[in-house]
Amino acid sequence: GRRLPDVRGTLWLGRRSRELEWLEFRYTGIPEAPWTDETGGGVVFRRLSTGAWIVQRWWIRMPVLEVTSAPRFRGALFNDSHSKLIELREEGGEVLATSLETATATRRLVSGTVVDLSTGQPLPGAVVEISGTPLRDTSDVAGAFRIEGAPPGSYNVSFTHPRLDSLGTFARFVPIVVGDSDVTSVTLTLPTLKAVALAICPDALRDTTPSMVRGTVRDPDGAPLKGVSVQLDWTAFQTVATELVRRPVSLIALSDARGSYVFCGVPRDLPLTLFAGMPRGARSSPMTVRLPESGFAMFDLVVPAKQRAP
């Protein structure tokens, strides 16, 4: 039931590779003493030429304390506790040499297909990667990929694609085990707009007819624009005292660092007006759109350069 941390530390990444190179940690909750900074440990990682990762070196330095308690009286009786360092115990290990002959001889093939679940069609141009390795391939027109040279082990496989950026999401990692078989097969999928909505629009999806509009705001050169106000307007109708009354509705969202915006709970059966507004009155051309039968749509907006505020 404790909620206090036992260790604190730092993860150190390579300045250029951005890969985890080593970590260090210290114990928490122990009495302050001159030797406190000497306790803790570290782990150093290394990537082999095969792309696999190993722990190159590790160590852990543990304090052994003797705690004494004596009754004291300073207006009231209390116990005065003191900690004394008896010893420091250290364990560790280091890899001094590696042999890659076996790993090289047992490399396997990982193959599969990338599919767009929205259309059921293959997705070309997806960059498929095996995590923790430099191994990758790009799916062809049939959505197929082949990655050779994977040493035996457990991995995660994922992919990147411009469609994922447009959806404002990431592909899920698919775990695989490269073992005795010569070929390991895997199917990767691009999520549907509905699946994305399930993840980001929980309130709207409590309704029986969920819907979502999302897209990106960019400049004429295709660069995403952050902090742009995107407005979605429509006219709703309601009955008041047996009379049909028109009621204008407006939703506003701000584009994020990738230029993405999203609206949830949008009506399916009404015309919608969509535009992006920049500071000082600049705005994109309004778009009049309707949601398709699925209730999920994407619309990209472009703000003319001459209208953008400095």
Side-chain angles (χ1 to χ4, degrees), residues 13-33:
L13 308 182
R15 183 181 297 275
R16 294 186 177 181
S17 68
R18 304 299 173 90
E19 295 173 340
L20 179 62
E21 294 188 346
W22 67 291
L23 65 86
E24 59 178 342
F25 68 90
R26 297 287 182 267
Y27 294 105
T28 67
I30 58 177
E32 292 293 333

Side-chain angles (χ1 to χ4, degrees), residues 40-308:
V43 183
V44 178
F45 303 95
R46 175 187 168 194
R47 185 199 287 272
L48 301 179
S49 59
T50 62
W53 286 90
I54 65 169
V55 173
Q56 174 73 31
R57 185 161 60 96
W58 67 273
W59 69 95
I60 179 171
R61 189 176 296 116
M62 303 160 284
V64 179
L65 306 178
E66 180 182 81
V67 181
T68 60
S69 179
R72 303 286 184 184
F73 187 83
R74 295 176 183 171
L77 185 64
F78 69 97
N79 287 330
D80 191 5
S81 299
H82 296 276
S83 298
K84 179 181 179 182
L85 177 66
I86 302 301
E87 62 179 330
L88 289 175
R89 294 181 183 176
E90 181 170 324
E91 299 284 347
E94 183 174 5
V95 176
L96 300 179
T98 59
S99 175
L100 305 180
E101 294 179 1
T102 302
T104 303
T106 57
R107 290 179 177 181
R108 306 298 186 189
L109 171 67
V110 177
S111 65
T113 307
V114 187
V115 179
D116 185 346
L117 291 180
S118 297
T119 62
Q121 299 298 315
L123 184 68
V127 179
V128 182
E129 300 179 338
I130 299 180
S131 63
T133 79
L135 304 175
R136 63 179 61 187
D137 188 29
T138 301
S139 61
D140 58 21
V141 292
F145 64 89
R146 291 170 53 90
I147 301 178
E148 298 180 352
S154 298
Y155 302 94
N156 287 321
V157 181
S158 187
F159 71 94
T160 57
H161 192 274
R163 281 275 293 162
L164 286 168
D165 296 335
S166 300
L167 289 170
T169 187
F170 301 92
R172 291 186 176 182
F173 288 101
V174 177
I176 63 169
V177 177
V178 178
D180 297 332
S181 176
D182 291 337
V183 181
T184 301
S185 298
V186 61
T187 298
L188 305 175
T189 57
L190 180 75
T192 64
L193 279 171
K194 183 174 182 178
V196 175
L198 283 169
I200 65 177
C201 299
D203 293 334
L205 289 175
R206 293 173 185 170
D207 187 57
T208 57
T209 56
S211 58
M212 181 187 71
V213 171
R214 76 174 310 162
T216 58
V217 183
R218 301 181 181 275
D219 65 17
D221 296 326
L225 298 176
K226 177 184 177 182
V228 177
S229 177
V230 182
Q231 185 167 327
L232 184 66
D233 299 331
W234 70 87
T235 301
F237 297 88
Q238 63 183 107
T239 303
V240 178
T242 70
E243 292 187 7
L244 196 61
V245 178
R246 299 162 57 96
R247 181 172 60 88
V249 180
S250 294
L251 297 180
I252 296 178
L254 290 178
S255 60
D256 61 18
R258 293 181 295 183
S260 299
Y261 70 89
V262 61
F263 295 102
C264 300
V266 179
R268 297 170 178 241
D269 54 349
L270 295 175
L272 311 170
T273 301
L274 181 67
F275 65 91
M278 293 292 291
R280 303 181 187 177
R283 56 187 288 180
S284 66
S285 299
M287 298 174 57
T288 300
V289 298
R290 280 183 179 269
L291 288 186
E293 185 177 350
S294 65
F296 305 95
M298 297 185 63
F299 304 104
D300 293 334
L301 303 171
V302 177
V303 176
K306 64 180 180 179
Q307 293 183 0
R308 294 207 310 269

